[in-house]
Amino acid sequence: VQRLGAYRRVLLRLPSEGRRNLFSHEIAALAGVSASQVRRDLMMIGYEGSPNRGYDAAGLLRSLGEFLDDDDGQKVALAGVGNLGRAVLDYFIGRRPKLVLSAAFDSDPNRVDRVIHGCRCYSVAVMDRVIRDEGITVGIITVPREAAQEIADRMVTAGVHGILNFAPRSLRVPGGVFVEDMDLTTSLEMVAFYARAHGEEREKSGGDADE
Amino acid sequence: VQRLGAYRRVLLRLPSEGRRNLFSHEIAALAGVSASQVRRDLMMIGYEGSPNRGYDAAGLLRSLGEFLDDDDGQKVALAGVGNLGRAVLDYFIGRRPKLVLSAAFDSDPNRVDRVIHGCRCYSVAVMDRVIRDEGITVGIITVPREAAQEIADRMVTAGVHGILNFAPRSLRVPGGVFVEDMDLTTSLEMVAFYARAHGEEREKSGGDADE
DNA sequence: TAGATTGTTAATCGATTAACAATC
DNA sequence: TAGATTGTTAATCGATTAACAATC
């Protein structure tokens, strides 16, 4: 499901090489997945290749777009314009044409009414109205842990169906609302843990311990 | 595996409530997982509870620490001190006592030799040496897509076993090195996709379409 | 004891991979 | 045709969940 995005990114970088057709194993190698998986995924979205020419790059790209994107685009709101919030805002601006960052929210009066990275920052007091009026359906939460649940609740009641959550806590949301957690601390912890495990394995087997 | 971190976070916030013992279903509710899973996970790290008192909070916390943390701590390096890099740096500083941000790297001379959020920024030219000398084993990559692979290669040869990768591409690393991808674009795309799918479902079933 | 919870095994579920006839 | 690739099904794998005797 999220691999489809990876396939598209692979295809988007391709025209420089002038390829018209691609085989499943080529896409697989570039996207870092297995060829079976590529064939299965593309079958699922209903795009057909031909046995000895593979997949048509242009057509596949169009097909992926039709599947992944909303025709009219979707509006996104971000709540919490701290360090992380600003970085995320900057990161997303203009990156996917069909996803428009339409509004940012913060409780700090110093940040309200300013335009940050090309995106107007409103007070959280008017969040409900702005989300409703603009028809925003996607939310990004970069507020502190304590405020996250309340912000999520308000986003959902105002019409948001999907949330990208950077706050280190699990959000309770009604059924039918999708939440993706991006917990930086948990991820770094995991990396550190496996780094340690692998490091120890290496010390046992190999001789060149790095100490 | 990464749930153990969540259990710990739950326990760390608990003393304010003065609880000494916890049942699996309580931990489960707070961490957002199933009670079976909690019992299974705790069994795996070898911590035993008692049938009618549940798990001892203090002992469990200690046990989780022993399992997750390195006694001497682990050093972390971050490469790419742009907007995102600085935000990530700021986010991690002091968040986990056993994970010390020891060095940052950037190719921009304006950023080199400055101290950013309490962390010294070096030139990428000296990355290999600094990583080796400091004994850094964990890396965070927040450089642009094009530079990511080279930075990863150099980190690995210098002694890094685990990488948290924010660059939107999959990294090739030798076996025994762990990579966790944090692709913001892919995640937002997924959220937008499911938001759309759920939104459409709602419009079909419910009457109050938000348009 | 009765009741609730634990450790642990078996059943379920989903996703990934392998395999292979059909096709160009 | 021969060879390589596709669409699609069956086999595999792992993780999650359910169940239940043992225990306090």
Side-chain angles (χ1 to χ4, degrees):
Chain A
V1 192
Q2 72 269 53
R3 287 189 299 266
L4 297 174
Y7 303 156
R8 171 155 70 176
R9 244 156 280 137
V10 163
L11 292 172
L12 284 172
R13 283 201 294 283
L14 216 62
S16 51
E17 302 172 24
R19 289 292 305 273
R20 293 261 168 251
N21 303 317
L22 282 174
F23 297 125
S24 58
H25 60 84
E26 293 177 302
I27 301 176
L30 291 167
V33 300
S34 81
S36 291
Q37 220 158 31
V38 172
R39 292 209 297 278
R40 228 168 152 285
D41 290 339
L42 298 190
M43 187 192 98
M44 199 157 55
I45 67 166
Y47 192 77
E48 300 197 350
S50 105
N52 68 353
R53 289 188 307 160
Y55 301 90
D56 175 57
L60 178 52
L61 198 53
R62 196 167 349 104
S63 206
L64 285 169
E66 282 169 15
F67 188 81
L68 291 172
D69 295 332
D70 187 284
D71 290 342
D72 307 324
Q74 285 171 279
K75 293 187 177 180
V76 183
L78 180 143
V81 192
N83 277 326
L84 184 61
R86 279 197 302 276
V88 170
L89 212 51
D90 179 56
Y91 187 89
F92 280 131
I93 296 283
R95 197 168 278 252
R96 287 240 54 82
K98 295 290 188 182
L99 294 176
V100 183
L101 263 293
S102 309
F105 299 97
D106 206 291
S107 55
D108 183 344
N110 293 324
R111 292 173 182 153
V112 169
D113 287 329
R114 290 177 51 190
V115 175
I116 299 174
H117 295 302
C119 180
R120 169 91 183 277
C121 182
Y122 299 89
S123 161
V124 287
V126 297
M127 191 164 83
D128 308 60
R129 184 176 57 73
V130 174
I131 287 179
R132 227 179 280 274
D133 289 354
E134 293 264 355
I136 291 169
T137 55
V138 177
I140 302 174
I141 293 184
T142 46
V143 300
R145 209 189 73 78
E146 303 78 37
Q149 182 63 56
E150 197 211 322
I151 294 287
D153 291 343
R154 291 179 56 186
M155 280 184 168
V156 170
T157 39
V160 164
H161 303 305
I163 294 177
L164 183 57
N165 174 37
F166 285 87
R169 64 161 294 165
S170 57
L171 301 174
R172 293 185 309 277
V173 293
V177 174
F178 180 82
V179 176
E180 168 84 352
D181 288 308
M182 291 289 270
D183 188 339
L184 305 193
T185 305
T186 298
S187 297
L188 185 65
E189 228 170 49
M190 263 182 65
V191 170
F193 178 78
Y194 286 113
R196 192 155 62 97
H198 290 162
E200 280 169 9
E201 265 179 35
R202 275 193 182 178
E203 278 180 23
K204 274 183 197 169
S205 61
D208 53 346
D210 46 7
E211 176 65 342
Chain B
V1 193
Q2 73 269 51
R3 286 188 301 266
L4 297 174
Y7 303 157
R8 172 154 69 176
R9 242 154 282 136
V10 164
L11 291 173
L12 284 172
R13 282 200 295 281
L14 216 62
S16 51
E17 302 171 24
R19 288 292 304 275
R20 292 263 168 249
N21 303 317
L22 281 174
F23 297 126
S24 58
H25 60 85
E26 293 177 300
I27 300 176
L30 291 166
V33 301
S34 81
S36 290
Q37 221 159 29
V38 172
R39 292 209 298 278
R40 229 168 151 284
D41 290 340
L42 297 191
M43 187 192 98
M44 199 157 57
I45 67 166
Y47 192 77
E48 300 197 349
S50 105
N52 68 351
R53 288 190 306 160
Y55 300 92
D56 175 56
L60 178 52
L61 198 52
R62 196 167 349 103
S63 206
L64 285 168
E66 282 168 16
F67 188 81
L68 291 172
D69 295 332
D70 187 285
D71 291 341
D72 307 323
Q74 284 172 281
K75 292 187 177 180
V76 183
L78 181 144
V81 193
N83 277 326
L84 185 61
R86 278 196 303 275
V88 171
L89 212 50
D90 180 57
Y91 188 89
F92 280 132
I93 295 283
R95 198 167 276 251
R96 287 240 53 81
K98 295 291 189 182
L99 293 175
V100 183
L101 264 293
S102 308
F105 299 97
D106 206 292
S107 55
D108 183 344
N110 293 325
R111 291 172 182 155
V112 169
D113 286 330
R114 291 176 50 191
V115 174
I116 299 173
H117 294 305
C119 179
R120 170 91 183 275
C121 183
Y122 299 89
S123 161
V124 288
V126 298
M127 191 164 81
D128 307 60
R129 184 176 56 75
V130 174
I131 288 179
R132 229 180 278 274
D133 289 355
E134 293 263 356
I136 291 169
T137 55
V138 178
I140 302 173
I141 293 184
T142 46
V143 301
R145 209 189 73 78
E146 303 78 36
Q149 182 63 56
E150 196 212 322
I151 294 287
D153 291 342
R154 292 179 56 185
M155 280 184 168
V156 170
T157 40
V160 164
H161 303 305
I163 293 177
L164 184 57
N165 174 38
F166 285 87
R169 66 161 292 166
S170 56
L171 301 174
R172 292 185 311 275
V173 293
V177 174
F178 180 81
V179 177
E180 168 85 353
D181 288 308
M182 291 289 270
D183 189 338
L184 305 192
T185 306
T186 298
S187 297
L188 185 65
E189 228 170 49
M190 263 182 64
V191 170
F193 178 79
Y194 285 113
R196 191 155 61 97
H198 290 160
E200 281 169 9
E201 264 180 34
R202 274 194 182 179
E203 277 179 24
K204 273 183 195 168
S205 61
D208 52 345
D210 45 8
E211 175 65 340

